[in-house]
Amino acid sequence: MASVLHLSLLLLGSLMVASAGNFHQDFDITWGDGRANILNNGQLLTLSLDKASGAGFQSKNEYLFGKIDMQLKLVPGNSAGTVTAYYLKSPGQTWDEIDFEFLGNLSGDPYTLHTNVFTNGKGDKEQQFHLWFDPTADFHTYSILWNPQRIVFSVDGTPIREFKNSESIGVAFPKNQPMRIYSSLWNADDWATRGGLVKTDWTHAPFTASYRNFNADACVWSNGKSSCASSSPSSPSSSSAWFSQELDSTSQERLKWVQKNYMIYNYCADAKRFPQGLPAECRTS
């Protein structure tokens, strides 16, 4: 009975705040001069990059906490020098940001999945991974869970990174600034592949990344108010599982598996970078 009740509450919360994706309704193309296209009655979006320009889009809504899912199929073949970015970001000089960036590579070499978290304009919290599949062969789901206690980055439902709220030990955490969803495809061959050693081969252009199945189970911020601010017992903040979601034991094991086998950089293990000592959140278990 309890599980049935939990499911009904979860469904209620999802109905109240979910936005199941239609790109025409949910996003604005912001740059690219025709290189971003919404297709299939709003079910598919593509970004293209050539020597003249890349392209990008952003969500119509701003969000303050939520679970965001997007399926991406990355640039195939020789994608060296290209970056496909998919992230949450607030405006201004002291912005908050939650980042997925996919750094291209030579044919046959793995993509690097770069993650970072910014609070009040300060990041320096990079973790990087390889993936356990070819992200160019098919669509895969990349998710950000953002609630007041933690940020969890997931790939196809498998958590790859958890950034906990450590304000109690003086670590800033993004919780006050509403953020939009952004994505772009652009040339970054000055740093993206092997630190900039491998340049973009424009004979392979145009490079194309594809998006589908966007879903936001989230608190929409509008006119200074959150859609989750209601004190009603059925308000999303009390009935959506994601708002208080933690990693269960199975998810924790999967996270450890990814970090053991596929993590290629962790700022918390880079003692040379922090000669005054590792950041405080790195010193907690």
Side-chain angles (χ1 to χ4, degrees), residues 74 100-106 108-115 127-135 140 142 153-156 158-161 192-195 254-266:
L74 300 179
F100 275 114
E101 289 188 313
F102 303 89
L103 314 184
N105 215 330
L106 295 168
D109 288 345
Y111 262 80
T112 294
L113 172 49
H114 174 100
T115 66
Q127 290 184 355
Q128 295 183 337
F129 305 84
H130 287 155
L131 294 164
W132 49 96
F133 54 83
D134 177 359
H140 292 269
Y142 302 91
F153 299 79
S154 298
V155 178
D156 289 339
T158 294
I160 65 169
R161 177 177 186 178
T193 305
R194 294 184 60 204
R254 294 167 81 186
L255 176 68
K256 290 177 184 175
W257 172 78
V258 172
Q259 296 200 338
K260 177 183 177 183
N261 294 290
Y262 295 98
M263 179 184 280
I264 59 171
Y265 178 78
N266 180 8

Side-chain angles (χ1 to χ4, degrees), residues 262-277:
Y262 295 98
M263 179 184 280
I264 59 171
Y265 178 78
N266 180 8
Y267 77 107
C268 279
D270 194 347
K272 289 183 179 178
R273 182 177 171 189
F274 301 102
Q276 306 304 315

Side-chain angles (χ1 to χ4, degrees), residues 35-242:
R35 293 172 180 82
N37 292 284
I38 298 174
L39 308 166
N40 298 358
N41 296 315
Q43 299 305 300
L44 179 70
L45 189 152
T46 62
L47 296 181
S48 292
L49 165 69
D50 58 35
K51 200 165 187 177
S53 179
F57 62 91
Q58 70 181 42
S59 62
K60 295 180 187 291
N61 286 328
E62 291 183 291
Y63 304 94
L64 187 63
F65 304 125
K67 185 176 185 296
I68 309 296
D69 303 307
M70 184 85 81
Q71 290 195 325
L72 279 74
K73 182 163 70 171
L74 300 179
V75 174
N78 181 357
S79 58
T82 71
V83 172
T84 306
Y86 157 55
Y87 57 102
L88 290 162
K89 187 175 185 290
S90 65
Q93 296 300 307
T94 54
W95 74 97
D96 293 348
E97 185 173 342
I98 303 170
D99 274 346
F100 275 114
E101 289 188 313
F102 303 89
L103 314 184
N105 215 330
L106 295 168
S107 299
D109 288 345
Y111 262 80
T112 294
L113 172 49
H114 174 100
T115 66
N116 206 350
V117 176
F118 289 75
T119 310
N120 297 324
K122 182 170 173 52
D124 299 331
K125 301 183 187 303
E126 301 91 345
Q127 290 184 355
Q128 295 183 337
F129 305 84
H130 287 155
L131 294 164
W132 49 96
F133 54 83
D134 177 359
T136 73
D138 203 350
F139 286 90
H140 292 269
T141 303
Y142 302 91
S143 305
I144 294 169
L145 168 69
W146 171 35
N147 66 32
Q149 297 83 36
R150 58 189 39 80
I151 295 163
V152 179
F153 299 79
S154 298
V155 178
D156 289 339
T158 294
I160 65 169
R161 177 177 186 178
E162 180 182 31
F163 183 78
K164 294 181 180 178
N165 184 332
S166 299
E167 289 178 304
S168 61
I169 57 171
V171 179
F173 185 85
K175 66 173 190 177
N176 298 314
Q177 299 189 51
M179 298 196 251
R180 292 188 196 276
I181 302 163
Y182 294 87
S183 191
S184 57
L185 174 60
W186 48 292
N187 177 46
D189 67 2
D190 55 332
W191 64 271
T193 305
R194 294 184 60 204
L197 293 176
V198 182
K199 301 300 183 183
T200 304
D201 183 349
W202 294 109
T203 64
H204 294 277
F207 304 97
T208 301
S210 303
Y211 302 75
R212 72 180 188 191
N213 290 352
F214 163 70
N215 190 74
D217 190 0
C219 300
V220 174
W221 187 267
S222 180
N223 298 318
K225 293 182 180 179
S226 169
S227 63
C228 299
S230 168
S231 58
S232 158
S234 62
S235 71
S237 60
S238 63
S239 61
S240 285
W242 61 262

